[in-house]
């Protein structure tokens, strides 16, 4: 068994306080925040996420979903990119501030006994949701593909080096590694025989067009593919029906599942992409 | 100082045949079918639970994105995704019925016939205390708000439902009308035991970079603190005009907000969007109302409801 992940037992969701231990601006737009929060740090599983109340004013009103990037002991880290109001406020917090957090939320990446190796594909911020999965893998044959628009946005490389996995980089502008999309790089690595398709699984997180291409490659090459989706959320716990994604139901019909409760991790075969 | 002064204030309230231990309910569509919040709050402490609106057949709902944030509020266009009448009874009611607080089913349909079928089937369901008639959903193409916007349709619909159930019926009104008082009076006259207001306000938001609407449905229902003044105004107008209890909702986040609705005329209140922001919000508001009453020497809720003074 190559994965330490156990998806059988999930702890109850809770509201907890998390105290900010450190804030690092790792790239112009990217922040890494370490939080003291035993309940989440000890109980959250790779693929699960948390809901963060960024402000107790009513604007922004709703919590922001973020992945648990890495955890150690009673502390865990989040890694995020400033894209709007909520993430901007979060980036401007101070060490010692308390954040209200709800979690752990959603389903984790599954244990797949057929997988002895793993292909991790990250697009943009996707690595934030994938790092803890990689951390939990004991197998040595792990390939991690990082795709970003430009080298300036490349994150997580140092962590991955520490974990001793094989790293492959793609940038849209060719400023680093393969020039082009990370899905193209995936196909190339498979076709060139650098990544084997035997007993392998793909775990991917990133923008929808990228996930769609990766799911297609997985299907073509006969590799089991799991993806972690993002959707706009309100409750984060399956109550509002707000974060719908399209899936194929048992009767081969369109059905909506909730990213926050039924996901964010889905078997790519389940999903309808457009 | 007598003993009464330091005694606990009376938070219980009756809405027709529904006895609640406190006046704080959860609003339809924001609390799932109860279970979703069980990790966070003692469900038995809630005044009453109004379940997500159900339709005769399961409903797929609208394509995503279905929600977006707006200043101090949010827009939603869920499109009434729900499990349908039969699954509600067989899969959701057993859990809801065991909680030990009044459970109110919310029904929605495309024509009067749908509402009648829903109500008559629910009439005999064990553990159900009431039926809320959702004639106010802005996010479905037919039915919903189309009914609640018209006084005579409201009358006919409520009357038809009244004829098939002994359960307490609550008509949930839409704010997307020019004269909510006339609609409210028609619902009362047709036999509604109580009124819920407001449902969401029809709204819209655009992503100016892509020039696309933020919701796939283009328009959606606005809820949260942003709508509160509109809701308070409507509760005040309606409570003044009818003789049945009014359940006030729209942007209640704190106990102070709840008290404001009660002063405007609400006998009970419901919380919706607040549950998304803080899944324990209902518990905090219940405690907060009690504290407000103690601090202000208020012994029962009747002293609050409709106690608005003039300037
Ligand atoms: C399960 C899950 C895990 C996530 N994990 C991370 C993470 O670890 N690191 C990270 O940087 N980001 C993550 N995201 C995305 C993150 O939630 C959004 O970037 C954030 O909510 C934006 O908030 P804002 O107020 O800064 O932006 P807003 O002003 O709200 O929006 C700015 C832009 O971001 C988009 N957006 C807003 N909310 C979301 C959302 N929930 N999903 C996708 N796009 C959104 C908007 O459409 C808009 O284009 C995750 C999303 C989900 C659903
Ligand atoms: C996501 C969402 C779903 C809703 N679904 C329903 C519904 O199914 N039936 C209904 O009568 N009202 C529904 N509502 C309206 C609420 O019950 C409530 O009337 C409204 O949101 C105002 O209260 P609030 O500001 O506290 O949320 C929904 C509201 C939201 C935000
Ligand atoms: S965010 Fe409410 S159901 Fe997913």
């Amino acid at each position: 068994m190559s994965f330490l992940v156990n998806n059988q037992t999930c702890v109850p969701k809770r509201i907890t306080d998390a105290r900010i231990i450190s804030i690092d601006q790792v790239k112009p737009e990217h922040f890494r925040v370490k939080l003291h929060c035993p309940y989440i740090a000890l109980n959250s599983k790779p693929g699960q996420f948390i809901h963060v109340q960024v402000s107790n004013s009513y604007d922004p009103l709703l919590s922001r979903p973020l992945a648990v990037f890495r955890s150690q002991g009673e502390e865990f880290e989040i890694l995020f990119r400033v894209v709007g109001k909520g993430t901007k406020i979060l980036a401007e917090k101070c060490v010692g501030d308390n954040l209200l957090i709800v979690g752990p939320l959603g389903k984790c990446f599954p244990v797949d006994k057929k997988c002895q190796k793993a292909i991790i594909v990250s697009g943009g911020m996707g690595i934030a949701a994938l790092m803890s999965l990689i951390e939990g893998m004991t197998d040595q044959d792990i390939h991690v593909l990082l795709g970003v628009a430009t080298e300036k946005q490349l994150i997580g490389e140092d962590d991955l080096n520490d974990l001793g996995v094989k790293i492959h980089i793609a940038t849209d502008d060719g400023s680093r590694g393969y020039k082009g999309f990370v899905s193209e790089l995936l196909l190339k690595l498979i076709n060139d025989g650098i990544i084997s398709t035997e007993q392998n699984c793909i775990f991917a997180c990133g923008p929808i067009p990228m996930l769609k291409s990766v799911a297609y490659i997985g299907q073509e090459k006969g590799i089991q593919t799991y993806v972690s989706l993002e959707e706009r959320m309100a409750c984060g716990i399956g109550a509002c029906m707000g974060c719908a994604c399209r899936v194929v139901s048992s009767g081969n019909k369109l059905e909506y599942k909730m990213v926050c409760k039924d996901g964010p991790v889905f078997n790519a075969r389940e999903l309808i992409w457009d | 100082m007598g003993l009464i002064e330091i005694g606990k204030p009376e938070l219980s309230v009756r809405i027709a045949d529904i006895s609640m231990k406190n006046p704080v309910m959860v609003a339809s569509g924001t609390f799932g079918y109860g279970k979703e919040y069980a990790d966070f709050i003692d469900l038995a402490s809630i005044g009453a639970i109004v379940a997500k609106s159900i339709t005769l057949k399961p409903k797929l709902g609208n394509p995503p994105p279905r929600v977006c944030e707006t200043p101090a509020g949010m827009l939603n266009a869920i499109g009434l995704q729900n499990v349908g009448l039969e699954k509600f009874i067989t899969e959701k009611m057993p859990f809801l019925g065991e909680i030990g607080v009044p459970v109110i089913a919310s029904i929605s349909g495309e024509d009067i016939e749908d509402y009648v079928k829903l109500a008559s089937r629910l009439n005999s369901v064990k553990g159900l205390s009431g039926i809320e008639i959702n004639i106010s959903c802005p996010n479905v193409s037919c039915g919903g708000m189309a009914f609640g916007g018209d006084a005579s349709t409201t009358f006919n619909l409520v009357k038809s439902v009244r004829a098939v159930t002994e359960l307490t019926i609550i008509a949930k009104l839409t704010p997307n009308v020019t004269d909510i008082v006339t609609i409210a009076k028609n619902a009362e006259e047709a036999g509604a035991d109580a009124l819920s207001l407001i449902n969401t306000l029809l709204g819209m938001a655009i992503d100016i970079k892509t020039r696309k609407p933020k919701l796939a449905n283009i328009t959606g229902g606005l809820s949260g603190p942003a709508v509160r003044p509109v809701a308070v105004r409507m509760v005040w107008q309606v409570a003044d005009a009818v003789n049945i209890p009014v359940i006030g909702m729209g942007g209640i986040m704190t106990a102070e907000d709840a008290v404001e609705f009660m002063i405007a005329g609400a006998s009970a209140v419901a919380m919706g969007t607040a549950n998304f922001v803080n899944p324990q919000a209902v518990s905090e508001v219940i405690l907060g109302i009690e504290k407000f009453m103690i601090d202000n020497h208020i012994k029962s809720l009747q002293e609050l409801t409709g106690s608005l003074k003039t300037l």
Side-chain angles (χ1 to χ4, degrees):
Chain A
M1 258 283 297
S2 56
F3 299 104
L4 291 175
V5 186
N6 171 6
N7 62 344
Q8 304 309 311
T9 50
C10 271
V11 296
K13 302 178 271 286
R14 263 198 209 161
I15 306 188
T16 52
D17 258 337
R19 195 179 73 256
I20 298 178
I21 309 271
S22 64
I23 303 176
D24 287 308
Q25 184 164 11
V26 288
K27 292 275 149 133
E29 293 177 338
H30 296 73
F31 291 79
R32 195 166 165 161
V33 176
K34 189 182 272 182
L35 299 154
H36 178 87
C37 182
Y39 192 71
I40 301 294
L42 298 169
N43 294 309
S44 153
K45 303 212 172 73
Q48 288 192 294
F49 66 101
I50 53 169
H51 232 178
V52 182
Q53 203 179 86
V54 294
S55 142
N56 52 14
S57 80
Y58 295 150
D59 193 18
L61 181 70
L62 301 169
S63 294
R64 298 299 193 255
L66 292 171
V68 174
F69 179 58
R70 297 191 77 167
S71 10
Q72 194 171 34
E74 298 194 334
E75 295 169 1
F76 74 90
E77 285 177 277
I78 49 176
L79 173 68
F80 61 90
R81 181 172 171 204
V82 174
V83 295
K85 202 188 287 178
T87 43
K88 182 163 185 287
I89 294 173
L90 207 51
E92 288 164 356
K93 297 272 178 195
C94 303
V95 171
D97 283 356
N98 271 315
L99 294 176
L100 211 58
I101 280 177
V102 178
L105 304 175
K107 297 215 159 68
C108 55
F109 284 104
V111 181
D112 197 321
K113 294 197 173 131
K114 291 192 291 293
C115 298
Q116 297 295 318
K117 309 161 196 158
I119 309 165
I120 313 284
V121 189
S122 159
M125 287 307 299
I127 192 66
L130 294 164
M131 191 64 81
S132 63
L133 174 72
I134 303 167
E135 232 176 355
M137 291 176 169
T138 50
D139 204 282
Q140 285 309 296
D141 201 9
I142 299 169
H143 289 267
V144 180
L145 285 70
L146 296 174
V148 285
T150 178
E151 186 180 15
K152 270 213 297 285
Q153 293 178 358
L154 191 65
I155 36 164
E157 199 183 359
D158 294 346
D159 300 76
L160 292 170
N161 277 326
D162 290 347
L163 292 171
V165 295
K166 299 182 187 75
I167 308 171
H168 311 272
I169 293 164
T171 51
D172 296 354
D173 63 0
S175 51
R176 177 84 189 273
Y178 176 85
K179 181 176 190 303
F181 294 144
V182 72
S183 48
E184 295 162 10
L185 175 60
L186 171 66
L187 191 61
K188 185 177 180 325
L189 292 169
I190 294 172
N191 288 342
D192 292 354
I194 295 166
I195 294 179
S196 104
T197 57
E198 297 294 306
Q199 294 182 311
N200 217 338
C201 277
I202 297 173
F203 300 93
C205 183
I208 291 288
M210 171 222 136
L211 293 179
K212 186 179 169 181
S213 305
V214 170
Y216 182 74
I217 295 167
Q219 193 181 12
E220 288 289 292
K221 302 288 176 185
I223 315 171
Q224 189 73 268
T225 304
Y226 298 96
V227 300
S228 178
L229 296 185
E230 286 186 7
E231 188 48 69
R232 278 190 245 154
M233 294 184 176
C235 72
I237 59 171
C240 74
M241 306 282 133
C243 59
C245 67
R246 297 174 178 87
V247 300
V248 201
S249 75
S250 44
N252 221 11
K253 285 212 258 338
L254 165 75
E255 197 179 87
Y256 291 111
K257 279 198 175 177
M258 296 306 128
V259 172
C260 72
K261 176 168 159 269
D262 307 311
V265 177
F266 290 91
N267 188 323
R269 272 188 325 216
E270 254 192 288
L271 299 167
I272 300 172
W273 294 99
D274 30 39
Chain B
M1 288 280 148
L3 275 173
I4 299 160
E5 291 287 300
I6 51 167
K8 277 195 165 241
E10 185 54 59
L11 262 80
S12 67
V13 61
R14 247 182 115 80
I15 302 288
D17 288 337
I18 304 175
S19 295
M20 317 197 300
K21 56 169 99 61
N22 65 65
V24 187
M25 309 165 56
V26 287
S28 178
T30 65
F31 211 71
Y33 301 100
K35 213 175 208 158
E36 291 80 356
Y37 284 86
D39 278 355
F40 301 103
I41 125 173
D42 174 13
L43 298 174
S45 68
I46 303 172
I49 295 175
V50 187
K52 170 76 187 168
S53 291
I54 50 165
T55 45
L56 272 179
K57 296 266 159 343
K59 216 169 157 76
L60 195 58
N62 287 331
R66 292 177 172 185
V67 292
C68 83
E69 196 179 53
T70 55
M74 63 174 280
L75 289 169
N76 89 79
I78 309 299
L80 288 179
Q81 175 171 354
N82 78 91
V83 296
L85 174 65
E86 289 310 319
K87 274 199 177 164
F88 172 72
I89 295 170
T90 56
E91 292 176 12
K92 307 297 178 184
M93 266 317 287
F95 177 85
L96 284 165
E98 286 296 309
I99 297 170
V101 299
V103 176
I104 296 159
S106 167
I107 59 172
S108 185
E110 290 178 4
D111 50 36
I112 292 187
E113 188 84 343
D114 279 3
Y115 285 92
V116 168
K117 280 189 190 147
L118 283 157
S120 42
R121 177 78 176 87
L122 290 170
N123 188 44
S124 56
V125 171
K126 234 182 90 222
L128 206 58
S129 300
I131 297 176
E132 187 171 82
I133 312 175
N134 178 3
I135 42 172
S136 45
C137 181
N139 300 322
V140 284
S141 49
C142 38
M145 199 172 86
F147 290 111
D150 181 76
S152 67
T153 315
T154 301
F155 182 87
N156 292 335
L157 197 147
V158 174
K159 203 172 167 65
S160 308
V161 171
R162 176 76 290 166
V164 296
T165 180
E166 294 91 55
L167 290 171
T168 294
I169 57 178
I170 304 164
K172 181 155 178 187
L173 309 183
T174 171
N176 303 305
V177 293
T178 35
D179 180 11
I180 197 168
V181 171
T182 309
I183 311 262
K185 280 181 169 165
N186 273 270
E188 178 185 32
E189 209 183 311
D193 298 300
L195 303 171
S196 268
L197 58 144
I198 60 173
N199 206 317
T200 54
L201 274 160
L202 196 57
M204 179 169 169
I206 300 167
D207 181 330
I208 59 163
K209 281 194 212 122
T210 60
R211 301 192 189 190
K212 288 179 182 170
K214 289 194 178 176
L215 298 177
N217 190 55
I218 304 178
T219 61
L222 182 65
S223 64
V227 309
R228 203 171 72 232
V230 177
V232 170
R233 183 265 294 178
M234 288 186 156
V235 164
W236 173 70
Q237 287 179 315
V238 167
D240 206 42
V242 299
N243 293 310
I244 49 176
V246 170
I247 301 160
M249 70 196 77
I252 297 176
M253 305 296 285
T254 64
E256 287 73 21
D257 303 342
V259 168
E260 184 183 9
F261 272 89
M262 301 192 80
I263 294 171
S267 299
V269 294
M271 294 174 67
T273 304
N275 297 306
F276 306 157
V277 178
N278 171 6
Q280 286 166 348
V282 172
S283 306
E284 290 168 16
V285 167
I286 295 167
L287 288 175
I289 293 175
E290 183 168 19
K291 185 174 182 303
F292 177 87
M293 291 171 77
I294 294 170
D295 292 350
N296 292 280
H297 311 289
I298 297 164
K299 291 183 216 68
S300 82
L301 294 173
Q302 283 85 330
E303 292 174 44
L304 274 179
T305 296
S307 62
L308 182 75
K309 293 179 183 168
T310 45
L311 287 175

